[in-house]
Amino acid sequence: MSRDRLDDLGALWRGQPTEGLAVDATPEALRARAEKLARQSLRRNVRETVAGVIGAAATGWIGWAMPIPLSRAGAALIVLATIWILAVLWRRGRARPAPAPAAPTAEHLAHLRAELVRERDLLGSVWLWYLAPLVPGLVLMPLGMILEVAKRAPAAWTWLTMLTWIACGAAAMVAVAWMNRRKSRQLARQIEALDARNSP
Amino acid sequence: MLAAGTLLERLADAAEDVDARFRAIAAEYAATLVRVARGYEADEQRQQDLVQDMLFAIWSALPRFEGRASVRTWVYRIAHNVAVSHVLKQRRDALSRAVPIEDAKIGALVRDAAREAEGREAVQKLAALVRALRPADAQIVLLYLEGLEHDDIAEITGLSRENVAVKIHRIKGALTRAMQEGEVR
C-alpha cells in the first residue's frame, strides 16, 4: 500500500514542469566560464602572495630604517613571524583537491567534512600559529621606541604609553582570537550536523 | 610520430566530439537537473545557478568519462555531488536544522499528492520536505523519486546496497506510521 503511494509521489515528482529555468549551457559559454575561473584563481594567488611579501618587506624596511637596536630586532621578529604565518596558510589554509566530479557522493561528503574540520582546526588555533608568533616582535618594536623616548620624557609618560600599547595590542589580539573561535565553533556544529546523518 | 597538423586536427575533433556529446547529454537530462536543483535549493535564481554549475561540472568531466558507468548514473552522480557541495557551502546554516528522514512529514505530502488539482502545490511541498532533510537522506529520497533502483542508488551515493535498502525502508516506515496515525487517508 505504502509502496503504491510512494510510487504516486515519484510519478508526481517526475511529472513536474521544468521549463521555467533558462540556463545558458552552450559549450562556448562553459569554455568562457572555465577560462574566467582559471584567470580568477591565478589573480587571487598572485594577490595573496604579493600582499604577504609587501607586508613583510615593509616591516623589514621600517625596522632597518630604525636607529634603535631593540626596535630593529622587533621588526625582524615580525618579518619572521609573517613568513611563518604565510607558510602555515600555504600548508594548512589551502583547500584540498576535491574528488573527481563523478566520484560517489559519499567521497564528496567525506571531502567536504574534511574541509570543515581543516577550517575549524585552523581557525580554532589562530592564537597559536597567527597571534603568538607576532607577540615578541609587536612587544619589542614599540618598546625600543618608548624606552628611547623615555630617556628624555617623564617616567609617568613612559608607563602610560607602555600600558596603552599593551592594552590596545592585547584587546586587538583577543578580538581576533574571539572572532575566529566563534567561527570555529560554528563549523564544529556543522560537522556535528553532518555526522548525525550516519547515526542510526 | 604524428605530424603537427594531424595532432591538432585530432585535438580539434576530440573537442568537437566532447561538445557534441555534451549537447546530447544536456538535452536529455535538462529536466532531471532542474528537479535535482529544486530538491536542494529553494530560491529560483540559485536553482538556475545550480543547474549551470551541474552542467559545467558535466562538461568539465566529460573528456574523462570512460563509459564504465551508464550515462544516467554518471549524470546523477555529478548533479548530486554539485548540489551537496552547494548545500554545504551556501546553506551551512540550514545544515544544522536538517532533519532525518524519520522526522519528515511524508504522510501529509502523500495526502496532498492524492488530490490531483493540488498537484503543483504538492510538488512544491515535496521539494521543501526534501530540502529540509540531511543531504545524504535528501539524495536517497530524490533518487528514489526519480525511479532509480537500489543498485543504481548505491552506485551513485557510494553507500552499500544494504544501507540504501535500510534508508528506503525507513522512508516507507515513516509513511506507514503517518498512515496509521491518520495523517494520510
Side-chain angles (χ1 to χ4, degrees):
Chain A
M1 191 172 177
S2 63
R3 165 93 205 173
D4 293 342
R5 288 180 181 273
L6 265 183
D7 286 346
D8 289 346
L9 215 51
L12 189 75
W13 178 257
R14 292 190 295 277
Q16 64 177 290
T18 53
E19 296 81 28
L21 294 184
V23 179
D24 184 7
T26 61
E28 293 74 26
L30 296 172
R31 205 167 281 120
R33 182 179 166 177
E35 286 165 8
K36 188 180 169 190
L37 283 175
R39 276 198 306 273
Q40 282 175 343
S41 173
L42 181 68
R43 268 203 294 266
R44 189 178 57 243
N45 289 341
V46 168
R47 199 167 50 233
E48 284 173 1
T49 308
V50 167
V53 168
I54 287 175
T59 313
W61 181 79
I62 291 167
W64 184 254
M66 276 184 184
I68 309 150
L70 201 58
S71 296
R72 197 181 283 182
L77 287 174
I78 290 176
V79 172
L80 288 177
T82 308
I83 292 168
W84 162 258
I85 290 165
L86 286 174
V88 172
L89 279 175
W90 178 256
R91 197 164 48 88
R92 293 173 59 197
R94 285 179 306 158
R96 302 292 179 264
T105 306
E107 279 183 33
H108 277 263
L109 281 167
H111 167 74
L112 290 164
R113 187 191 183 282
E115 284 299 288
L116 288 175
V117 168
R118 182 185 59 74
E119 220 177 312
R120 178 200 65 190
D121 293 347
L122 192 69
L123 296 179
S125 60
V126 145
W127 61 273
L128 187 67
W129 63 269
Y130 182 77
L131 297 174
L134 287 169
V135 168
L138 287 175
V139 168
L140 286 187
M141 205 165 111
L143 186 66
M145 289 187 280
I146 292 167
L147 291 178
E148 187 64 25
V149 177
K151 289 175 187 170
R152 296 179 294 276
W157 179 90
T158 308
W159 281 108
L160 187 66
T161 314
M162 279 178 76
L163 287 173
T164 307
W165 175 257
I166 289 167
C168 290
M173 287 198 164
V174 167
V176 169
W178 179 79
M179 280 191 292
N180 282 282
R181 183 86 184 145
R182 193 164 154 237
K183 180 73 184 159
S184 174
R185 283 183 179 155
Q186 280 174 4
L187 291 169
R189 282 196 292 276
Q190 283 155 13
I191 293 164
E192 279 170 24
L194 199 57
D195 287 344
R197 75 190 175 85
N198 291 322
S199 61
Chain B
M1 190 178 153
L2 288 169
T6 314
L7 181 61
L8 284 174
E9 281 165 19
R10 283 190 180 192
L11 287 172
D13 288 348
E16 274 177 29
D17 181 43
V18 166
D19 288 356
R21 284 159 68 200
F22 171 76
R23 282 195 179 93
I25 289 172
E28 173 84 20
Y29 291 98
T32 302
L33 299 181
V34 171
R35 289 197 298 269
V36 173
R38 284 178 182 163
Y40 286 96
E41 176 59 61
D43 181 81
E44 199 165 312
Q45 179 58 48
R46 286 190 185 168
Q47 285 172 4
Q48 210 154 308
D49 295 343
L50 191 50
V51 172
Q52 187 92 40
D53 288 348
M54 290 170 186
L55 288 164
F56 182 68
I58 289 168
W59 176 76
S60 307
L62 199 51
R64 294 185 300 280
F65 178 53
E66 294 165 348
R68 284 188 201 145
S70 73
V71 174
R72 186 166 86 133
T73 308
W74 185 79
V75 167
Y76 271 115
R77 263 191 184 179
I78 293 180
H80 279 270
N81 289 340
V82 171
V84 166
S85 300
H86 169 85
V87 170
L88 296 191
K89 286 175 185 165
Q90 305 293 322
R91 296 174 50 226
R92 282 180 169 182
D93 55 327
L95 186 63
S96 41
R97 293 197 302 271
V99 297
I101 189 66
E102 294 83 355
D103 296 347
K105 298 197 180 308
I106 295 176
L109 279 165
V110 178
R111 184 191 57 211
D112 290 342
R115 298 178 195 157
E116 207 174 325
E118 292 181 13
R120 190 180 174 82
E121 194 188 335
V123 168
Q124 286 171 354
K125 284 184 182 174
L126 179 56
L129 174 133
V130 173
R131 287 193 295 269
L133 295 174
R134 294 167 181 165
D137 286 348
Q139 183 183 26
I140 290 174
V141 172
L142 282 172
L143 291 170
Y144 191 79
L145 291 173
E146 288 287 329
L148 271 74
E149 296 298 329
H150 288 25
D151 286 333
D152 288 333
I153 296 176
E155 195 183 335
I156 291 164
T157 57
L159 301 173
S160 68
R161 192 186 185 285
E162 291 71 29
N163 208 337
V164 169
V166 167
K167 293 262 186 188
I168 291 173
H169 180 73
R170 285 180 184 173
I171 299 172
K172 290 177 184 172
L175 176 62
T176 307
R177 277 196 302 282
M179 289 168 71
Q180 284 168 350
E181 289 162 9
E183 198 176 349
V184 182
R185 295 181 182 86

